[in-house]
Amino acid sequence: MKGLIAFLMAAFIAGLLSNARVAYAEPGVPNPLRIGSEGYYPPFNFVDQSGQLKGFDIDIAMALCERLKVECKLLAQDWDGIIPALLAGKYDAIVASMSITDERKKVVSFTDKYYSNKVRFVAAKGGGFDPGKLDGKTIGTQRATIAANWLAKNAGGAKVKLYDKQTDAYLDLAARRLDAIFADGLVLHEWLKTKAGAGFEMVGDAYELDEGIGIAVRKEDNVLRQRLNAALAAMLADGTYATINARYFPFSIY
Amino acid sequence: MMAALHGMAAESTAQLLAGAWLTMQLTALAMLVGTTLAFPLALMRTSRHGWLRAPAYGYVFFFRGTPLLVQIFLVYYGLAQFEAIRDGFLWPVLSEAYWCAIIAFSLNTAAYTAEILRGGMMAVPLGEREAARALGFSRWQEIRLIVLPRAVRQALPAYGNEVILMLKGSALASTITLLELTGVARTLIARTYLAVEFFALAGLIYLLLTLLIVRGVRLLERRWALPGQAIETVPGTRHGDLLA
């Protein structure tokens, strides 16, 4: 629904404001580079006590600006209007943990992914759960998620239990009704840090079930997109990315 | 494409029917256990002894005073929090969402049915009880042979209402992972985004199940009706009218 509204508004505003473009100096990267983010998605983007945008997304954005040798100007924008505001020229790129989807690709262009929403299994420590042998196992997951869809297609021999809330699945895992939970690895990581999650651990590989998280730019800003991609690749190669990653997660989220 | 769509529709229908079957099981078992519990509860509620009345009153007060959803969560998620219960001999039963749902539903409907039955007992004409006593019936005989048969008969319409409420209340089982009718519909919607279609189909099945209950209760009302006290029908309608 959120996506649909954003899409419709984006299409509408794109038509209205197609002439209101900011002129770029060569070589295609505006200075300052204005970055739109949200601020309600910790630890990726959030507003700290002093009102500053902080988080993984913001660190990535700052590092990109540094590499592109431009000044970074951060702007907070509510999620519903985040694409329309980009199209209206309020900022030049969205770094707000936005999933690359086909719907959004109709209105904006995405860079390469800068992190992945990987799905993982969590099971009791030392319980010997094997993601390769799901037959006969009871797996919990949240209804209407990519994890649930994947299990429906790939875990025919397992008993899949669907929960309305991720927190209910945790309760059942703790109660030993479930052999494992299959869910977003980063969300699971946060739970494992809590007292309730103490006896559990991630088991097996991370599954990449979508195209990941990318930076959105206007479709016509192809040069900016290429520059951002090049900067991202360089950050990944020289360890800048790993340094930022390590501030938030003890494992790679790329 | 058409064949694929057709296959999907057939599969969805099969899943909905499986869900409907689970809904029927949950409702029937809960009513069976709940109604069985309701008789002693109703007798306790109408007892002359305070020590019998008080616990029954407390039971009814608790189960009518809290939402069914809360009761289900307490039985399913709540009990499982305790190590003693997870290691206890009841865990094979309590670990199953199916039995947790039936326990919660049974305890809940027992409270309501007890009150319905109590209402039926209060409505038994005092003259009949006096007649029983005059004939030398013991108190137990009086209740068993005079009061209860009358009470059950008088409570039937309200009881039919309770069965229907239980049927619809059983949709809450989907919150503890049971794929009963509502649970199946919600899962299919999550997969296909066809919300109106699947909720409408589920609603239709609920209507049919309700119709079955209505007819069943009606049948019992007729069968148990006292001679000369047959249920009046609205003038102009026939026996066997759809919602008679």
Side-chain angles (χ1 to χ4, degrees):
Chain A
M1 195 61 212
K2 219 175 174 185
L4 181 67
I5 291 168
F7 174 74
L8 289 175
M9 283 183 68
F12 174 64
I13 290 168
L16 265 186
L17 299 172
S18 53
N19 294 323
R21 280 287 165 273
V22 185
Y24 299 145
E26 288 292 321
V29 179
N31 190 13
L33 180 62
R34 295 165 307 160
I35 306 276
S37 196
E38 192 207 12
Y40 295 97
Y41 197 59
F44 292 100
N45 59 70
F46 56 95
V47 180
D48 72 1
Q49 279 140 337
S50 63
Q52 296 287 308
L53 273 169
K54 288 273 156 66
F56 178 83
D57 288 337
I58 310 305
D59 289 1
I60 290 286
M62 299 302 272
L64 284 168
C65 288
E66 195 180 324
R67 194 161 294 267
L68 293 169
K69 298 195 170 56
V70 291
E71 189 196 330
C72 233
K73 196 174 167 201
L74 294 167
L75 293 151
Q77 164 71 48
D78 281 351
W79 187 251
D80 281 3
I82 207 158
I83 287 179
L86 172 75
L87 299 176
K90 303 281 183 200
Y91 38 77
D92 309 300
I94 300 171
V95 189
S97 291
M98 185 176 278
S99 289
I100 302 170
T101 67
D102 288 336
E103 281 86 11
R104 290 183 184 133
K105 277 187 195 164
K106 288 175 189 155
V107 267
V108 295
S109 291
F110 282 100
T111 62
D112 301 334
K113 66 165 186 178
Y114 67 94
Y115 78 86
S116 309
N117 252 334
K118 285 179 191 156
V119 184
R120 306 200 57 152
F121 284 102
V122 152
K125 274 181 188 160
F129 176 77
D130 180 359
K133 294 174 190 151
L134 294 179
D135 284 6
K137 293 284 188 286
T138 308
I139 315 290
T141 190
Q142 200 178 350
R143 203 189 304 270
T145 58
I146 51 173
N149 290 342
W150 186 89
L151 285 175
K153 284 193 201 102
N154 298 288
K159 188 176 178 225
V160 177
K161 293 185 83 172
L162 299 174
Y163 296 84
D164 294 328
K165 298 187 203 75
Q166 186 67 34
T167 45
D168 289 343
Y170 295 145
L171 286 174
D172 255 5
L173 182 66
R176 302 199 303 247
R177 285 196 182 107
L178 295 176
D179 294 307
I181 288 179
F182 192 52
D184 184 307
L186 306 177
V187 175
L188 289 175
H189 173 71
E190 292 298 310
W191 179 68
L192 289 175
K193 286 197 284 193
T194 66
K195 199 173 144 230
F200 301 91
E201 63 183 358
M202 292 195 184
V203 182
D205 297 330
Y207 296 74
E208 192 154 13
L209 305 180
D210 62 4
E211 292 179 60
I213 306 291
I215 300 169
V217 299
R218 286 179 290 268
K219 273 184 176 294
E220 65 269 28
D221 291 347
N222 208 23
V223 180
L224 174 61
R225 192 176 66 83
Q226 286 165 4
R227 297 263 163 176
L228 287 168
N229 275 340
L232 261 177
M235 280 166 55
L236 278 160
D238 74 358
T240 314
Y241 182 92
T243 310
I244 296 172
N245 187 144
R247 278 179 215 154
Y248 298 91
F249 301 99
F251 50 86
S252 172
I253 66 168
Y254 184 71
Chain B
M1 183 65 193
M2 281 312 286
L5 268 177
H6 196 78
M8 228 176 78
E11 199 201 316
S12 307
T13 310
Q15 286 180 21
L16 279 172
L17 289 179
W21 171 234
L22 184 55
T23 291
M24 286 162 77
Q25 286 177 43
L26 291 174
T27 310
L29 276 174
M31 288 319 297
L32 188 75
V33 178
T35 306
T36 309
L37 288 175
F39 278 91
L41 270 173
L43 290 176
M44 284 166 76
R45 282 282 277 132
T46 51
S47 167
R48 279 173 300 185
H49 308 291
W51 59 271
L52 276 174
R53 277 200 312 274
Y57 178 83
Y59 179 92
V60 169
F61 181 71
F62 176 79
F63 280 98
R64 290 201 309 176
T66 52
L68 182 53
L69 180 66
V70 171
Q71 292 162 18
I72 290 183
F73 271 44
L74 281 176
V75 172
Y76 185 73
Y77 293 115
L79 290 179
Q81 302 283 300
F82 301 101
E83 196 76 36
I85 288 191
R86 291 209 303 271
D87 296 333
F89 69 100
L90 278 176
W91 185 240
V93 172
L94 289 174
S95 67
E96 291 292 328
Y98 181 82
W99 294 113
C100 286
I102 284 173
I103 290 169
F105 292 161
S106 299
L107 295 179
N108 180 276
T109 193
Y112 285 95
T113 306
E115 284 300 277
I116 291 168
L117 206 52
R118 187 173 70 93
M121 289 166 76
M122 309 282 275
V124 175
L126 198 60
E128 295 189 14
R129 308 185 77 150
E130 281 168 349
R133 260 170 265 162
L135 285 170
F137 281 28
S138 71
R139 174 138 177 92
W140 176 236
Q141 281 177 316
E142 176 194 328
I143 286 172
R144 192 167 54 90
L145 298 172
I146 305 297
V147 178
L148 280 182
R150 286 286 261 152
V152 166
R153 209 173 279 130
Q154 291 176 120
L156 254 182
Y159 181 74
N161 223 2
E162 175 58 19
V163 182
I164 291 170
L165 286 174
M166 191 71 258
L167 171 76
K168 291 182 289 183
S170 72
L172 288 173
S174 69
T175 62
I176 56 167
T177 75
L178 281 179
L179 290 175
E180 46 66 69
L181 186 47
T182 301
V184 171
R186 292 174 61 206
T187 306
L188 289 170
I189 288 164
R191 208 176 295 156
T192 60
Y193 300 105
L194 298 172
V196 178
E197 289 83 345
F198 281 119
F199 275 142
L201 261 176
L204 189 70
I205 298 175
Y206 275 115
L207 271 177
L208 290 172
L209 292 177
T210 305
L211 191 65
L212 277 180
I213 294 168
V214 169
R215 303 296 308 219
V217 172
R218 186 76 184 160
L219 210 70
L220 279 182
E221 282 179 37
R222 288 236 182 80
R223 168 163 293 188
W224 290 348
L226 292 176
Q229 286 192 349
I231 310 145
E232 331 78 69
T233 45
V234 182
T237 60
R238 291 169 290 111
H239 279 248
D241 269 357
L242 201 61
L243 288 169

